Amino acid sequence: MRYAELRVLFRSSKKPPFFIGSQVRGAFGYALKSVSCISPSYKCCECFAKESCLYYDFFEKKNSYHRYRFDFELGAEIYDFGIVLLGNACEKLPYIASAAYMMLKRYGLGKDRVKYDKFNMYVNGEACLKDDKISLPKDYAREFSFDSDGGDVEVKFVTPLRIKKDNIFLKNDNICLRDILNSIYQRRLSVFGQDREALPFEAKGEITKKDLRYVELTRRSNRQNTTMNFGGLVGSLEIKGVSKECMELLKLGEIVGAGKQTVFGLGKIKTEDMNEQI
């Protein structure tokens, strides 16, 4: 699977919100519309070109899987966030980089629309902002690969994991390895436009330690005049005897995320080899 990440890093005079997902995504969407929209009315429902519009695809298209997610950590001291593009969305990186630049330079962040002149931008870890101009690498799409074995792993839920079990969002530690793997697998299918299907292999691995807690987060949507619940599980699981197939899927989850609302930055996971911690 192809993927690419644009990362933005800068300091602000004020500490960023504990959860920056709502603020950054809203500002980025406004900037992306400015670099994508060709309709004088700025109304997607009236636009003849909406089906080929990047903004419409990322923000307005209903009942579809969005091939991107925001990536950050909760409670950071500085602004440090990524926009991860998945599958054929990698081809749109020039638009994404332009929108991120415009967001900070022209439109600003937060209710006060604070603008920033100094910030850094990276594509897959490589600096792409030189002399205040965007300079993208020639090849910016990476191919996910996994050539290791299974083993013992610690899985960290860095931002709230919103995952359903028996059609109810989990608020306790009643989660199993299959729940996590299935969520990642369904996201993988969606990237390629495939229908949902059952996990094609057994979830092999024993959870030996759970250190999870539920974090309550909400977001106010002025456009929809509603409050959205972003609460989910954070913390970690220690899993021993993970098979190679399961480990590969967990590593893929570091790229695509897990659970619901990943486009707001939820469902960020990290894996760490427990044997290397010794």
Side-chain angles (χ1 to χ4, degrees):
M1 189 191 74
R2 298 167 66 240
Y3 70 97
E5 182 193 49
L6 176 78
R7 194 147 203 99
V8 181
L9 178 66
F10 63 95
R11 293 186 177 274
S12 174
S13 58
K14 294 183 179 180
K15 184 178 178 179
F18 176 75
F19 172 70
I20 67 170
S22 180
Q23 182 192 82
V24 171
R25 184 176 183 271
F28 174 76
Y30 187 88
L32 184 61
K33 192 170 189 176
S34 74
V35 302
S36 304
C37 186
I38 63 172
S39 172
S41 70
Y42 254 38
K43 296 180 180 179
C44 294
C45 61
E46 301 174 358
C47 183
F48 70 93
K50 64 182 181 182
E51 293 301 331
S52 60
C53 174
L54 182 60
Y55 169 79
Y56 179 79
D57 184 31
F58 273 28
F59 284 86
E60 299 291 344
K61 197 171 185 178
K62 307 299 182 184
N63 302 318
S64 67
Y65 174 80
H66 300 295
R67 294 176 176 85
Y68 76 99
R69 70 175 183 88
F70 276 90
D71 182 281
F72 54 83
E73 298 192 5
L74 299 175
E77 295 293 324
I78 63 174
Y79 281 95
D80 180 0
F81 60 89
I83 304 170
V84 182
L85 305 177
L86 306 171
N88 59 15
C90 294
E91 302 166 7
K92 306 299 182 181
L93 183 63
Y95 291 94
I96 301 303
S98 178
Y101 180 91
M102 297 281 282
M103 173 182 72
L104 298 178
K105 281 281 189 176
R106 179 177 296 182
Y107 301 116
L109 281 179
K111 62 180 181 179
D112 297 325
R113 297 284 186 254
V114 179
K115 301 178 180 63
Y116 298 89
D117 288 322
K118 295 182 179 180
F119 53 90
N120 294 313
M121 293 173 58
Y122 305 88
V123 172
N124 301 327
E126 180 181 343
C128 66
L129 192 62
K130 302 174 182 178
D131 299 324
D132 205 32
K133 294 182 179 180
I134 299 173
S135 178
L136 299 178
K138 182 178 180 181
D139 298 315
Y140 43 74
R142 292 183 170 184
E143 191 72 32
F144 170 76
S145 62
F146 180 81
D147 57 4
S148 299
D149 295 321
D152 303 335
V153 64
E154 181 181 21
V155 181
K156 298 179 181 179
F157 304 144
V158 183
T159 58
L161 176 72
R162 285 178 58 77
I163 194 167
K164 282 187 174 182
K165 191 167 186 175
D166 299 326
N167 210 33
I168 299 174
F169 281 109
L170 282 178
K171 291 190 176 183
N172 53 39
D173 63 2
N174 184 27
I175 191 171
C176 65
L177 176 58
R178 183 176 178 83
D179 296 331
I180 303 167
L181 294 175
N182 184 63
S183 175
I184 298 169
Y185 183 67
Q186 301 309 324
R187 293 180 61 75
R188 178 189 177 278
L189 292 175
S190 298
V191 169
F192 294 104
Q194 298 172 334
D195 294 332
R196 294 176 63 90
E197 63 179 44
L199 191 67
F201 51 81
E202 182 182 351
K204 293 182 179 179
E206 179 187 1
I207 297 178
T208 57
K209 183 178 179 180
K210 294 182 179 181
D211 183 14
L212 300 175
R213 68 186 189 278
Y214 185 83
V215 172
E216 189 70 65
L217 291 177
T218 58
R219 170 188 180 259
R220 179 66 183 175
S221 174
N222 293 325
R223 185 172 65 173
Q224 299 179 15
N225 194 30
T226 59
T227 298
M228 301 175 65
N229 184 1
F230 279 177
L233 297 173
V234 298
S236 64
L237 299 174
E238 291 185 2
I239 312 174
K240 292 188 176 181
V242 179
S243 68
K244 181 177 180 179
E245 289 175 312
C246 295
M247 190 72 78
E248 181 176 8
L249 202 51
L250 288 173
K251 297 301 290 186
L252 179 64
E254 292 184 314
I255 297 172
V256 303
K260 304 290 186 179
Q261 278 96 31
T262 60
V263 293
F264 286 92
L266 302 185
K268 173 182 172 67
I269 71 171
K270 287 183 179 180
T271 65
E272 187 171 340
D273 188 334
M274 290 171 56
N275 296 322
E276 293 182 356
Q277 298 177 12
I278 300 175

